[in-house]
Amino acid sequence: MSSEVAAKRPTQETATRKGNLEGIQYLRGYAAVAVVIAHAYGFAATPKYYGDFSIGAAQLASGVHGVDLFFVISGFIVAYITLNRESLTPRLSALDFFQRRFVRIVPIMWIAILSFWALRSFVASDGDWFDYLRALTLWPSGGVAPPQIWTLRHELIFYLFFGLFVLAFPRGRWLLVVVAVGPLPLQLVTPPEWIGTILNLVNLQFALGALAALIYLRGPPVAAKFVIKRLGHVIVLALFVVMLLVSVSLEPFGNVTVVLGLGGMSVMILWLATMIDGDGSRGATVARLLGDASYSIYLFHLHFIQVLLVLAPQYAPMATPHLVVPAAALIAALGGILLHLVVERPLLNWLQTTRPTGSRRAADS
Protein backbone atom coordinates (compact mmCIF):
# COMPACT_ATOMS: atom_id res chain seq x y z
CA MET A 1 0.00 0.00 0.00
CA SER A 2 1.45 3.40 -0.96
CA SER A 3 2.00 6.07 1.67
CA GLU A 4 -0.27 8.37 -0.36
CA VAL A 5 -3.20 5.96 -0.13
CA ALA A 6 -2.54 5.35 3.57
CA ALA A 7 -2.58 9.08 4.21
CA LYS A 8 -5.91 9.50 2.47
CA ARG A 9 -7.82 6.77 4.24
CA PRO A 10 -8.38 8.50 7.61
CA THR A 11 -9.66 11.60 5.84
CA GLN A 12 -12.08 9.57 3.72
CA GLU A 13 -13.31 7.66 6.75
CA THR A 14 -13.85 10.84 8.73
CA ALA A 15 -15.63 12.47 5.80
CA THR A 16 -18.01 9.52 5.76
CA ARG A 17 -18.51 9.86 9.48
CA LYS A 18 -19.29 13.54 9.20
CA GLY A 19 -21.86 12.69 6.55
CA ASN A 20 -23.54 10.43 9.08
CA LEU A 21 -23.97 13.33 11.51
CA GLU A 22 -26.49 15.32 9.48
CA GLY A 23 -29.20 15.02 12.11
CA ILE A 24 -26.84 16.06 14.90
CA GLN A 25 -26.01 19.21 12.95
CA TYR A 26 -29.72 19.99 12.99
CA LEU A 27 -29.75 19.58 16.77
CA ARG A 28 -26.85 21.98 17.14
CA GLY A 29 -28.80 24.61 15.26
CA TYR A 30 -31.95 24.09 17.32
CA ALA A 31 -29.99 24.31 20.56
CA ALA A 32 -28.27 27.52 19.48
CA VAL A 33 -31.55 29.18 18.52
CA ALA A 34 -33.13 28.14 21.84
CA VAL A 35 -30.28 29.81 23.75
CA VAL A 36 -30.59 32.94 21.61
CA ILE A 37 -34.31 33.25 22.32
CA ALA A 38 -33.80 32.70 26.05
CA HIS A 39 -31.06 35.33 26.26
CA ALA A 40 -33.01 37.83 24.17
CA TYR A 41 -35.89 37.52 26.63
CA GLY A 42 -33.65 37.39 29.70
CA PHE A 43 -31.74 40.58 28.93
CA ALA A 44 -34.84 42.45 27.77
CA ALA A 45 -36.59 41.58 31.05
CA THR A 46 -33.87 43.16 33.22
CA PRO A 47 -34.50 46.58 34.83
CA LYS A 48 -31.80 48.08 32.59
CA TYR A 49 -34.02 47.55 29.55
CA TYR A 50 -37.75 46.79 29.69
CA GLY A 51 -38.09 45.18 33.10
CA ASP A 52 -40.33 42.21 33.77
CA PHE A 53 -43.08 41.71 31.21
CA SER A 54 -45.51 38.90 30.54
CA ILE A 55 -44.40 36.82 27.57
CA GLY A 56 -44.37 33.19 28.74
CA ALA A 57 -41.30 33.79 30.90
CA ALA A 58 -40.66 30.25 32.13
CA GLN A 59 -41.06 28.71 28.70
CA LEU A 60 -38.77 31.22 26.97
CA ALA A 61 -36.17 31.07 29.75
CA SER A 62 -36.06 27.28 29.41
CA GLY A 63 -34.20 27.80 26.14
CA VAL A 64 -30.98 28.13 28.14
CA HIS A 65 -31.17 24.35 28.53
CA GLY A 66 -30.10 24.13 24.93
CA VAL A 67 -26.61 24.02 26.48
CA ASP A 68 -27.49 20.66 28.06
CA LEU A 69 -28.02 19.30 24.57
CA PHE A 70 -24.76 20.95 23.47
CA PHE A 71 -22.84 19.14 26.23
CA VAL A 72 -24.28 15.75 25.27
CA ILE A 73 -23.54 16.38 21.59
CA SER A 74 -19.95 17.35 22.43
CA GLY A 75 -19.42 14.12 24.35
CA PHE A 76 -20.85 12.12 21.47
CA ILE A 77 -18.88 13.89 18.73
CA VAL A 78 -15.52 13.67 20.49
CA ALA A 79 -15.83 9.92 21.09
CA TYR A 80 -17.31 9.29 17.64
CA ILE A 81 -14.56 11.13 15.77
CA THR A 82 -11.57 9.89 17.79
CA LEU A 83 -12.30 6.18 18.29
CA ASN A 84 -12.27 3.26 15.86
CA ARG A 85 -15.45 1.36 15.22
CA GLU A 86 -16.04 -1.83 17.22
CA SER A 87 -12.54 -1.93 18.78
CA LEU A 88 -13.06 1.56 20.31
CA THR A 89 -9.31 2.14 20.24
CA PRO A 90 -7.93 5.66 19.57
CA ARG A 91 -7.65 6.55 15.91
CA LEU A 92 -5.59 9.70 16.48
CA SER A 93 -3.10 10.88 19.07
CA ALA A 94 -3.91 13.08 22.03
CA LEU A 95 -1.66 15.81 20.57
CA ASP A 96 -3.53 15.74 17.27
CA PHE A 97 -6.83 15.85 19.15
CA PHE A 98 -5.77 18.85 21.22
CA GLN A 99 -4.50 20.67 18.14
CA ARG A 100 -7.75 20.13 16.28
CA ARG A 101 -9.86 21.20 19.23
CA PHE A 102 -7.78 24.35 19.69
CA VAL A 103 -8.11 25.33 16.04
CA ARG A 104 -11.84 24.62 16.01
CA ILE A 105 -12.75 26.34 19.27
CA VAL A 106 -10.27 28.97 20.41
CA PRO A 107 -9.40 31.47 17.61
CA ILE A 108 -13.00 32.36 16.77
CA MET A 109 -13.75 32.43 20.52
CA TRP A 110 -11.00 35.00 21.02
CA ILE A 111 -12.49 37.12 18.24
CA ALA A 112 -15.90 36.95 19.91
CA ILE A 113 -14.53 37.92 23.32
CA LEU A 114 -12.40 40.81 22.09
CA SER A 115 -15.14 42.18 19.85
CA PHE A 116 -17.62 41.97 22.75
CA TRP A 117 -15.17 43.92 24.92
CA ALA A 118 -14.80 46.57 22.21
CA LEU A 119 -18.56 46.78 21.77
CA ARG A 120 -19.24 47.06 25.49
CA SER A 121 -16.53 49.70 25.84
CA PHE A 122 -18.27 51.71 23.15
CA VAL A 123 -21.88 51.46 24.37
CA ALA A 124 -21.33 51.17 28.15
CA SER A 125 -18.69 51.89 30.76
CA ASP A 126 -19.53 49.06 33.14
CA GLY A 127 -17.77 45.71 33.22
CA ASP A 128 -14.63 44.18 34.67
CA TRP A 129 -11.71 43.61 32.29
CA PHE A 130 -10.72 40.61 34.44
CA ASP A 131 -13.89 38.94 33.15
CA TYR A 132 -12.52 39.19 29.63
CA LEU A 133 -9.10 37.95 30.66
CA ARG A 134 -10.64 34.92 32.38
CA ALA A 135 -12.75 34.27 29.30
CA LEU A 136 -9.74 34.45 26.97
CA THR A 137 -7.89 31.88 29.09
CA LEU A 138 -10.98 29.86 30.12
CA TRP A 139 -9.85 30.27 33.72
CA PRO A 140 -11.85 27.86 35.92
CA SER A 141 -13.10 30.43 38.44
CA GLY A 142 -14.59 33.90 38.48
CA GLY A 143 -16.91 35.67 36.07
CA VAL A 144 -16.43 35.74 32.31
CA ALA A 145 -17.56 38.06 29.55
CA PRO A 146 -19.45 37.48 27.38
CA PRO A 147 -21.27 35.28 29.90
CA GLN A 148 -21.96 32.35 27.57
CA ILE A 149 -18.23 31.54 27.57
CA TRP A 150 -18.82 29.64 30.84
CA THR A 151 -19.85 26.60 28.81
CA LEU A 152 -16.52 26.54 26.97
CA ARG A 153 -14.74 26.21 30.29
CA HIS A 154 -16.46 22.87 30.71
CA GLU A 155 -15.77 21.91 27.10
CA LEU A 156 -12.05 22.50 27.74
CA ILE A 157 -12.09 20.41 30.91
CA PHE A 158 -13.82 17.53 29.14
CA TYR A 159 -11.36 17.70 26.23
CA LEU A 160 -8.40 17.60 28.60
CA PHE A 161 -9.70 14.61 30.54
CA PHE A 162 -10.78 12.75 27.41
CA GLY A 163 -7.51 13.40 25.61
CA LEU A 164 -5.44 12.24 28.59
CA PHE A 165 -7.47 9.28 29.88
CA VAL A 166 -8.81 7.90 26.60
CA LEU A 167 -6.34 8.86 23.86
CA ALA A 168 -2.97 9.31 25.60
CA PHE A 169 -3.35 6.67 28.34
CA PRO A 170 -6.23 4.37 27.35
CA ARG A 171 -5.70 2.19 30.42
CA GLY A 172 -6.82 5.12 32.51
CA ARG A 173 -10.31 5.24 31.01
CA TRP A 174 -11.80 4.43 34.38
CA LEU A 175 -10.58 7.85 35.56
CA LEU A 176 -13.01 9.43 33.11
CA VAL A 177 -15.79 7.66 35.00
CA VAL A 178 -14.46 9.19 38.23
CA VAL A 179 -14.55 12.64 36.63
CA ALA A 180 -18.13 12.03 35.47
CA VAL A 181 -19.60 10.78 38.76
CA GLY A 182 -17.28 12.74 41.08
CA PRO A 183 -19.54 15.82 41.07
CA LEU A 184 -22.40 13.87 42.70
CA PRO A 185 -20.96 13.68 46.25
CA LEU A 186 -19.81 17.30 45.93
CA GLN A 187 -23.47 18.32 45.96
CA LEU A 188 -23.41 17.65 49.71
CA VAL A 189 -20.68 20.22 50.40
CA THR A 190 -19.53 23.61 49.13
CA PRO A 191 -16.15 23.08 47.43
CA PRO A 192 -13.82 25.87 46.24
CA GLU A 193 -15.07 27.40 43.00
CA TRP A 194 -12.30 25.95 40.83
CA ILE A 195 -13.00 22.43 42.11
CA GLY A 196 -16.70 22.95 41.50
CA THR A 197 -15.88 23.96 37.93
CA ILE A 198 -13.60 21.01 37.22
CA LEU A 199 -15.90 18.50 38.92
CA ASN A 200 -19.16 19.96 37.71
CA LEU A 201 -22.44 18.13 37.20
CA VAL A 202 -22.29 18.83 33.46
CA ASN A 203 -19.47 16.26 33.30
CA LEU A 204 -22.27 13.70 33.50
CA GLN A 205 -23.81 15.06 30.31
CA PHE A 206 -20.52 14.88 28.43
CA ALA A 207 -20.14 11.32 29.70
CA LEU A 208 -23.66 10.38 28.60
CA GLY A 209 -22.91 11.66 25.11
CA ALA A 210 -19.61 9.74 24.98
CA LEU A 211 -21.34 6.58 26.18
CA ALA A 212 -23.97 6.98 23.46
CA ALA A 213 -21.15 7.23 20.91
CA LEU A 214 -19.49 4.05 22.21
CA ILE A 215 -22.75 2.17 21.76
CA TYR A 216 -23.29 3.74 18.35
CA LEU A 217 -19.80 2.79 17.16
CA ARG A 218 -20.48 -0.81 18.10
CA GLY A 219 -23.46 -0.83 15.75
CA PRO A 220 -25.47 2.22 14.65
CA PRO A 221 -29.26 1.96 14.88
CA VAL A 222 -31.14 1.11 11.70
CA ALA A 223 -34.57 0.15 13.01
CA ALA A 224 -37.39 2.46 12.05
CA LYS A 225 -35.03 4.67 10.07
CA PHE A 226 -37.52 4.83 7.22
CA VAL A 227 -40.04 6.50 9.56
CA ILE A 228 -37.96 9.65 9.95
CA LYS A 229 -35.98 9.70 6.73
CA ARG A 230 -37.87 12.68 5.33
CA LEU A 231 -39.31 14.39 8.39
CA GLY A 232 -36.56 13.62 10.89
CA HIS A 233 -35.58 17.25 11.38
CA VAL A 234 -39.18 18.12 12.28
CA ILE A 235 -39.47 15.21 14.71
CA VAL A 236 -36.25 15.95 16.59
CA LEU A 237 -37.16 19.64 16.75
CA ALA A 238 -40.53 18.75 18.27
CA LEU A 239 -38.88 16.46 20.83
CA PHE A 240 -36.32 19.15 21.68
CA VAL A 241 -39.13 21.65 22.34
CA VAL A 242 -40.81 19.06 24.57
CA MET A 243 -37.53 18.64 26.47
CA LEU A 244 -37.32 22.39 27.09
CA LEU A 245 -40.90 22.48 28.35
CA VAL A 246 -40.23 19.52 30.64
CA SER A 247 -37.17 21.30 32.04
CA VAL A 248 -39.48 23.84 33.69
CA SER A 249 -41.05 21.09 35.81
CA LEU A 250 -37.67 19.53 36.66
CA GLU A 251 -36.02 22.66 38.04
CA PRO A 252 -37.77 22.60 41.45
CA PHE A 253 -36.21 19.17 42.12
CA GLY A 254 -32.62 20.47 42.05
CA ASN A 255 -29.57 20.47 39.81
CA VAL A 256 -28.95 16.73 39.86
CA THR A 257 -32.45 16.00 38.58
CA VAL A 258 -32.16 18.67 35.88
CA VAL A 259 -28.74 17.54 34.67
CA LEU A 260 -29.57 13.84 34.63
CA GLY A 261 -33.10 14.30 33.32
CA LEU A 262 -32.17 16.64 30.49
CA GLY A 263 -29.01 14.64 29.79
CA GLY A 264 -31.05 11.47 29.40
CA MET A 265 -33.62 13.14 27.16
CA SER A 266 -30.82 14.71 25.09
CA VAL A 267 -29.30 11.28 24.51
CA MET A 268 -32.62 9.93 23.27
CA ILE A 269 -33.10 12.88 20.92
CA LEU A 270 -29.51 12.59 19.72
CA TRP A 271 -29.93 8.87 19.09
CA LEU A 272 -32.96 9.59 16.96
CA ALA A 273 -31.04 12.30 15.11
CA THR A 274 -28.36 9.79 14.08
CA MET A 275 -30.99 8.02 11.96
CA ILE A 276 -31.70 11.10 9.85
CA ASP A 277 -30.59 11.17 6.24
CA GLY A 278 -30.01 14.58 4.73
CA ASP A 279 -32.51 15.53 2.05
CA GLY A 280 -33.00 18.51 -0.16
CA SER A 281 -36.13 19.83 1.51
CA ARG A 282 -36.23 23.48 2.49
CA GLY A 283 -36.62 22.66 6.18
CA ALA A 284 -33.60 20.37 6.16
CA THR A 285 -31.53 22.97 4.32
CA VAL A 286 -32.35 25.65 6.89
CA ALA A 287 -31.70 23.24 9.75
CA ARG A 288 -28.33 22.32 8.28
CA LEU A 289 -27.36 25.98 7.86
CA LEU A 290 -28.29 26.70 11.47
CA GLY A 291 -26.26 23.69 12.58
CA ASP A 292 -23.20 24.70 10.58
CA ALA A 293 -23.41 28.23 11.99
CA SER A 294 -24.37 27.19 15.52
CA TYR A 295 -20.99 27.98 17.08
CA SER A 296 -20.89 31.49 15.61
CA ILE A 297 -24.52 32.02 16.59
CA TYR A 298 -23.71 30.96 20.14
CA LEU A 299 -20.54 33.05 20.41
CA PHE A 300 -21.84 36.28 18.89
CA HIS A 301 -25.56 36.40 19.66
CA LEU A 302 -25.20 38.70 22.67
CA HIS A 303 -23.36 41.22 20.50
CA PHE A 304 -26.48 41.69 18.42
CA ILE A 305 -29.00 41.36 21.23
CA GLN A 306 -27.41 44.00 23.44
CA VAL A 307 -26.93 46.47 20.58
CA LEU A 308 -30.57 46.12 19.57
CA LEU A 309 -31.77 46.49 23.16
CA VAL A 310 -29.74 49.70 23.49
CA LEU A 311 -30.87 51.15 20.18
CA ALA A 312 -34.54 50.12 20.20
CA PRO A 313 -35.72 52.53 22.94
CA GLN A 314 -33.88 55.41 21.23
CA TYR A 315 -34.92 54.84 17.63
CA ALA A 316 -38.17 52.90 18.10
CA PRO A 317 -39.60 54.08 21.44
CA MET A 318 -43.06 52.81 20.56
CA ALA A 319 -41.86 49.25 20.00
CA THR A 320 -42.96 46.92 22.78
CA PRO A 321 -40.70 44.20 24.21
CA HIS A 322 -43.04 41.67 22.59
CA LEU A 323 -41.77 43.00 19.25
CA VAL A 324 -38.18 43.76 20.25
CA VAL A 325 -37.43 40.33 21.75
CA PRO A 326 -38.26 38.23 18.64
CA ALA A 327 -36.59 40.86 16.44
CA ALA A 328 -33.44 40.67 18.56
CA ALA A 329 -33.43 36.87 18.45
CA LEU A 330 -33.91 36.83 14.67
CA ILE A 331 -31.20 39.42 14.02
CA ALA A 332 -28.81 37.58 16.36
CA ALA A 333 -29.37 34.28 14.54
CA LEU A 334 -28.97 35.87 11.11
CA GLY A 335 -25.90 37.77 12.30
CA GLY A 336 -24.37 34.54 13.57
CA ILE A 337 -24.98 32.87 10.20
CA LEU A 338 -23.36 35.80 8.41
CA LEU A 339 -20.31 35.70 10.69
CA HIS A 340 -20.03 31.96 10.15
CA LEU A 341 -19.90 32.50 6.40
CA VAL A 342 -17.56 35.50 6.28
CA VAL A 343 -15.38 34.99 9.39
CA GLU A 344 -15.54 31.54 11.01
CA ARG A 345 -15.45 29.34 7.91
CA PRO A 346 -12.67 31.27 6.10
CA LEU A 347 -10.68 31.40 9.34
CA LEU A 348 -11.00 27.64 9.85
CA ASN A 349 -10.02 26.95 6.25
CA TRP A 350 -6.93 29.12 6.60
CA LEU A 351 -5.91 27.63 9.94
CA GLN A 352 -6.33 24.10 8.64
CA THR A 353 -4.14 24.78 5.62
CA THR A 354 -1.37 26.13 7.86
CA ARG A 355 -1.35 23.08 10.15
CA PRO A 356 1.07 20.18 9.66
CA THR A 357 -0.31 17.45 7.37
CA GLY A 358 -0.26 14.89 10.19
CA SER A 359 -2.54 17.00 12.33
CA ARG A 360 -5.15 17.26 9.55
CA ARG A 361 -5.85 13.56 9.26
CA ALA A 362 -9.36 13.94 10.54
CA ALA A 363 -11.83 16.67 9.70
CA ASP A 364 -12.92 19.06 12.42
CA SER A 365 -16.47 18.93 13.73
Side-chain angles (χ1 to χ4, degrees):
M1 179 185 299
S2 69
S3 59
E4 181 182 0
V5 173
K8 288 181 178 179
R9 280 199 169 181
T11 302
Q12 292 169 345
E13 179 183 354
T14 304
T16 300
R17 289 187 175 202
K18 288 189 72 178
N20 292 338
L21 301 182
E22 184 80 9
I24 294 179
Q25 282 298 93
Y26 300 164
L27 287 182
R28 281 174 160 168
Y30 302 152
V33 170
V35 172
V36 169
I37 294 172
H39 284 169
Y41 164 76
F43 278 89
T46 60
K48 182 177 180 179
Y49 297 111
Y50 292 98
D52 190 26
F53 57 94
S54 176
I55 191 172
Q59 288 72 26
L60 287 180
S62 69
V64 298
H65 290 297
V67 299
D68 295 275
L69 180 57
F70 273 135
F71 290 147
V72 171
I73 290 175
S74 290
F76 182 94
I77 292 293
V78 165
Y80 180 76
I81 292 296
T82 60
L83 301 178
N84 288 304
R85 289 188 180 275
E86 297 184 357
S87 67
L88 304 182
T89 54
R91 58 187 299 269
L92 69 160
S93 68
L95 179 59
D96 192 17
F97 170 70
F98 290 139
Q99 287 177 335
R100 295 196 304 112
R101 289 294 88 192
F102 180 88
V103 168
R104 180 66 185 91
I105 300 297
V106 175
I108 189 67
M109 181 194 76
W110 283 343
I111 293 174
I113 294 168
L114 293 174
S115 59
F116 190 78
W117 168 78
L119 185 64
R120 293 285 296 172
S121 299
F122 179 75
V123 301
S125 59
D126 59 330
D128 184 349
W129 70 272
F130 278 108
D131 290 347
Y132 297 98
L133 182 59
R134 285 188 288 263
L136 287 168
T137 60
L138 296 178
W139 193 255
S141 63
V144 291
Q148 70 268 31
I149 298 299
W150 75 270
T151 63
L152 298 181
R153 282 174 165 173
H154 298 291
E155 295 269 358
L156 172 65
I157 292 166
F158 171 68
Y159 295 155
L160 289 174
F161 283 131
F162 188 91
L164 290 174
F165 299 151
V166 177
L167 302 180
F169 308 104
R171 293 183 179 180
R173 288 184 179 184
W174 62 272
L175 291 172
L176 200 60
V177 178
V178 173
V179 171
V181 301
L184 290 174
L186 286 182
Q187 302 307 301
L188 303 176
V189 297
T190 304
E193 184 180 358
W194 66 273
I195 293 180
T197 300
I198 294 173
L199 294 179
N200 193 279
L201 279 173
V202 300
N203 292 357
L204 284 166
Q205 295 181 329
F206 286 113
L208 286 172
L211 179 61
L214 298 183
I215 298 172
Y216 185 88
L217 287 169
R218 287 286 189 176
V222 293
K225 187 173 181 178
F226 65 94
V227 176
I228 60 171
K229 184 175 182 180
R230 294 287 301 178
L231 296 177
H233 58 282
V234 176
I235 296 172
V236 296
L237 174 59
L239 292 176
F240 175 57
V241 172
V242 170
M243 185 189 89
L244 296 182
L245 296 176
V246 169
S247 70
V248 177
S249 62
L250 292 179
E251 288 175 354
F253 295 96
N255 290 335
V256 174
T257 301
V258 171
V259 168
L260 289 177
L262 298 184
M265 284 186 281
S266 294
V267 167
M268 289 187 288
I269 296 172
L270 182 148
W271 194 263
L272 183 63
T274 63
M275 303 181 196
I276 295 176
D277 285 335
D279 60 66
S281 67
R282 184 174 301 177
T285 301
V286 172
R288 176 69 197 210
L289 178 60
L290 286 173
D292 291 344
S294 59
Y295 190 43
S296 284
I297 293 173
Y298 184 76
L299 284 177
F300 291 97
H301 69 279
L302 286 184
H303 295 59
F304 296 97
I305 289 172
Q306 293 206 355
V307 167
L308 189 64
L309 291 179
V310 168
L311 296 180
Q314 299 178 28
Y315 296 97
M318 300 301 292
T320 67
H322 302 81
L323 176 63
V324 173
V325 167
L330 178 61
I331 291 173
L334 293 176
I337 292 173
L338 179 63
L339 288 171
H340 164 71
L341 296 174
V342 302
V343 179
E344 180 189 10
R345 192 161 67 181
L347 177 63
L348 280 176
N349 290 338
W350 177 75
L351 289 172
Q352 288 169 355
T353 58
T354 60
R355 288 159 59 197
T357 302
S359 66
R360 288 186 274 124
R361 290 176 302 169
D364 291 293
S365 300

